[in-house]
Amino acid sequence: MKKICFYLPQFHDDPLNHEVWGENFTDWVTSQNARPLYAGHNQPLIPAFPEYDLLKTDGIFERQVGQAVEVGLDSFSFYYYCFDIDRYALRGPLERFALSDRVSFPFCVTWANIPWTKSWIGKPNVVIAEQRSDNQFCEFVANDLGNFFCAKNYLVHQGKPVVGILDTRSIDIRWFRKQLELVAERLGYSGIYLFSLANEDYIFDPNIDLYIGWPPGDIGLKNCQSYALLKRIIRSLPSGTINRHLFKYSRVGSEEVFLDKQIVAAEKIRRSGCPQFSQSILTGWDNTPRYGYRGYRLEAASDEIYIEKTSEILRNNLNSEVPFTFVKAWNEWAEGNIMEGVRNSVDYWRRLKSVLKN
């Protein structure tokens, strides 16, 4: 069973970001401008290394791959953004990784086929780029992804390139899979291996080979924080003293409780008729850099509890004989979802090393 870690290529000056947010906007801007919302809230999270640019920093992929191998990961899955024909975002790092002669670490892509919004500043209803989803466009995406299938280190399972997609219900998934298969077969592969997110309606499509958990928004995991009523009330209050005092109690959930709920929810999914389901591992959560007082934070469990629960997740996946366990994520700094090294927070790299290498 291979371990795949999601990778956010949001750390370079992208033309679409430049157009909307201004020069030199990256996720470092969002994450490092964060502020603590209550006493003891460790924001901003401080990287244990100089801030990097994925297109300019020499040796950045080699360093990250070295860390990934040491912790026990087998592959990265880069988020892929394509909104319309020739309208991309954050493509440069993916191309640089795929074409690098100095990187042999496997990678695959996950098409984040949802509209791009201003959620980075807490405005998810303000759309930056609409997501096209008709069949003609899906054929274009399939052919574009074929360019990455040609990379020497593209991840292959049983002779099939591995591809992820976030939203299967916004497109004709049967058509999309067929286009991917045609592209893969032209390149000499035997087909395609497609994974996607399990959904709360327990609706599973036969065109998806593997459904995966998507913490912390998995099935059965919504509103896992305490004081749900207070949380709804506080959402309408202005930021200030009241929010500062109430935020911790209304919006901070326990990672220990979350892990328990996640394991229970995974068993429900398996019993619901899902063809194959792989429970995913979360590396912390605090999206207040994006959403401020409207965000959520998971209060970290102890090392012992986290290691015990994530070990259980891996054992469950092994018993289910799924080919992959996904880790979310490598470097989603503005969501506190990180394993590449933080000075002032939990070291999930060290925690997961003790699990994945055992």
Side-chain angles (χ1 to χ4, degrees), residues 34-76:
R35 294 293 178 265
L37 302 185
Y38 58 88
H41 185 200
N42 55 330
Q43 284 289 352
L45 297 175
I46 308 301
F49 45 80
E51 294 179 9
Y52 52 74
D53 184 310
L54 291 175
L55 294 185
K56 297 178 182 178
T57 303
D58 188 48
I60 179 58
F61 289 135
E62 292 91 320
R63 178 182 71 76
Q64 292 177 328
V65 164
Q67 287 181 277
V69 170
E70 187 176 349
V71 78
L73 296 174
D74 300 292
S75 176
F76 287 140

Side-chain angles (χ1 to χ4, degrees), residues 111-114 133 138 163-176 194-199 203-211:
W111 183 18
N113 62 325
I114 53 179
S133 57
C138 287
V163 177
I165 182 169
L166 293 191
D167 184 7
T168 61
R169 291 184 282 186
S170 66
I171 66 172
D172 182 341
I173 190 63
R174 180 174 175 273
W175 168 267
F176 182 56
L194 193 59
F195 69 86
S196 188
L197 318 184
N199 60 74
I203 297 173
F204 305 112
D205 193 295
N207 293 288
I208 300 299
D209 297 294
L210 178 67
Y211 281 95

Side-chain angles (χ1 to χ4, degrees), residues 113-178:
N113 62 325
I114 53 179
W116 236 23
T117 70
K118 289 193 174 183
S119 61
W120 297 328
I121 58 170
K123 295 182 178 179
N125 296 322
V126 179
V127 177
I128 297 171
E130 292 283 0
Q131 179 64 68
R132 185 174 165 184
S133 57
D134 59 273
N135 283 358
Q136 182 184 12
F137 177 65
C138 287
E139 182 179 0
F140 170 83
V141 169
N143 281 282
D144 185 45
L145 292 178
N147 295 317
F148 298 106
F149 298 167
C150 295
K152 63 183 185 303
N153 54 331
Y154 196 87
L155 181 65
V156 175
H157 175 65
Q158 297 180 343
K160 303 172 182 178
V162 177
V163 177
I165 182 169
L166 293 191
D167 184 7
T168 61
R169 291 184 282 186
S170 66
I171 66 172
D172 182 341
I173 190 63
R174 180 174 175 273
W175 168 267
F176 182 56
R177 182 187 180 94
K178 181 62 177 176

Side-chain angles (χ1 to χ4, degrees), residues 265-303:
E267 185 56 34
K268 289 181 180 178
I269 296 168
R270 291 190 177 98
R271 291 200 304 266
S272 68
C274 183
Q276 270 209 314
F277 175 75
S278 178
Q279 192 174 343
S280 298
I281 294 172
L282 185 69
T283 57
W285 187 261
D286 183 353
N287 65 354
T288 59
R290 296 204 197 282
Y291 291 95
Y293 287 109
R294 292 177 295 157
Y296 296 87
R297 179 173 185 260
L298 286 175
E299 198 73 70
S302 66
D303 281 2

Side-chain angles (χ1 to χ4, degrees), residues 10-30:
Q10 174 69 293
F11 299 91
H12 66 101
D13 192 12
D14 180 83
L16 183 55
N17 276 336
H18 184 97
E19 174 187 328
V20 176
W21 304 104
E23 190 174 358
N24 298 321
F25 177 86
T26 73
D27 237 27
W28 293 128
V29 174
T30 306

Side-chain angles (χ1 to χ4, degrees), residues 252-270:
V252 176
S254 162
E255 191 171 58
E256 179 179 358
V257 172
F258 166 79
L259 287 165
D260 282 328
K261 285 178 175 283
Q262 189 180 17
I263 291 168
V264 170
E267 185 56 34
K268 289 181 180 178
I269 296 168
R270 291 190 177 98

